Amino acid sequence: QSALTQPASVSGSPGQSITISCTGTSSDVGGYNYVSWYQQHPGKAPKLMIYEVSNRPSGVSNRFSGSKSGNTASLTISGLQAEDEADYYCSSYTSSSSYVFGTGTKVTVL
Amino acid sequence: EVQLVESGGGLVQPGRSLRLSCAASGFTFDDYAMHWVRQAPGKGLEWVSGISWNSGSIGYADSVKGRFTISRDNAKNSLYLQMNSLRAEDTALYYCAKDPYGDYVFGNFDYWGQGTLVTVSS
């Protein structure tokens, strides 16, 4: 199972919006609404930010939103803040009854 | 508060075995599926294995199938990963993660431990 494709890096100024893409195939992202997104700060464990494409867990800021079109899922961070600087990973359930993660995106707040 | 505490990592020679444990607390352990996810140094996340609430459904990544075995003891609120025939490419921080559902399929990873480091080297 190949990793889902994410841009290596995305940057934005405070207050701006950024979008991170996550491209897979019809056997994973395109085939299921079980796409989730994780934030990971350096030296820390990942944190669930979005599940089932567009749902936010309790306690996650509404500045984070998710969507999907075809084989590509997206995470949008609006009103970018310094604390949003981190690595972000998408994940999808697959037709092999397994999970695949994205390659990861480093978000930099300028 | 959900807590997941991994243990059992360390330095091991190629071809040898290691058993990881994850102690869970703060939730009804036997209601939820659990997973192992690993991260090689400086690299991305990789799902390793998942197990349903009653051990009736289990899955593995192709990279570990036939070498790793996931199990759980609901009476002890614990998750395990038996790793045999270890290779250098298994070197990683191994995270225990909780699923919000009872079966390991069609889920996600809503809580994570801090990880235990496994280094495979001679």
Side-chain angles (χ1 to χ4, degrees):
Chain A
Q1 185 73 48
S2 298
L4 306 175
T5 301
Q6 297 181 233
S9 62
V10 173
S11 62
S13 299
Q16 287 187 329
S17 293
I18 62 169
T19 297
I20 303 169
S21 60
C22 169
T23 301
T25 69
S26 58
S27 295
D28 38 64
V29 175
Y32 304 94
N33 287 325
Y34 292 97
V35 176
S36 49
W37 289 89
Y38 302 86
Q39 176 192 65
Q40 186 178 35
H41 287 108
K44 300 295 187 182
K47 175 186 176 184
L48 177 66
M49 304 302 285
I50 295 288
Y51 67 97
E52 293 168 20
V53 176
S54 59
N55 295 295
R56 263 189 324 275
S58 174
V60 171
S61 171
N62 59 9
R63 298 184 298 103
F64 292 84
S65 61
S67 63
K68 191 185 85 167
S69 178
N71 295 339
T72 299
S74 299
L75 173 71
T76 297
I77 309 175
S78 58
L80 199 62
Q81 298 181 0
E83 67 208 50
D84 300 332
E85 189 162 290
D87 293 327
Y88 291 82
Y89 295 91
C90 61
S91 176
S92 176
Y93 180 71
T94 85
S95 60
S96 302
S97 300
S98 64
Y99 292 86
V100 61
F101 281 94
T103 49
T105 298
K106 181 177 181 60
V107 168
T108 301
V109 180
L110 302 172
Chain B
E1 178 194 4
V2 172
Q3 286 201 328
L4 299 169
V5 180
E6 302 92 337
S7 61
L11 175 63
V12 60
Q13 293 179 328
R16 304 296 291 263
S17 299
L18 206 59
R19 188 194 196 206
L20 305 184
S21 299
C22 171
S25 61
F27 64 101
T28 305
F29 183 70
D30 54 12
D31 277 350
Y32 299 100
M34 297 293 294
H35 302 267
W36 288 100
V37 177
R38 68 184 180 184
Q39 186 170 34
K43 302 297 184 182
L45 300 170
E46 179 187 15
W47 179 79
V48 173
S49 182
I51 185 169
S52 65
W53 67 279
N54 64 351
S55 304
S57 179
I58 287 174
Y60 298 97
D62 287 344
S63 58
V64 306
K65 201 171 293 183
R67 299 188 299 122
F68 289 13
T69 302
I70 191 172
S71 63
R72 63 190 295 162
D73 185 336
N74 288 344
K76 295 183 178 179
N77 287 352
S78 293
L79 176 72
Y80 306 102
L81 186 67
Q82 177 68 43
M83 303 186 296
N84 298 334
S85 303
L86 282 162
R87 307 166 180 167
E89 53 264 37
D90 295 318
T91 293
L93 186 63
Y94 283 74
Y95 292 104
C96 164
K98 173 186 166 295
D99 193 298
Y101 305 114
D103 201 344
Y104 89 91
V105 296
F106 303 127
N108 55 75
F109 318 106
D110 61 350
Y111 290 93
W112 299 63
Q114 290 303 308
T116 186
L117 183 62
V118 173
T119 303
V120 184
S121 174
S122 54

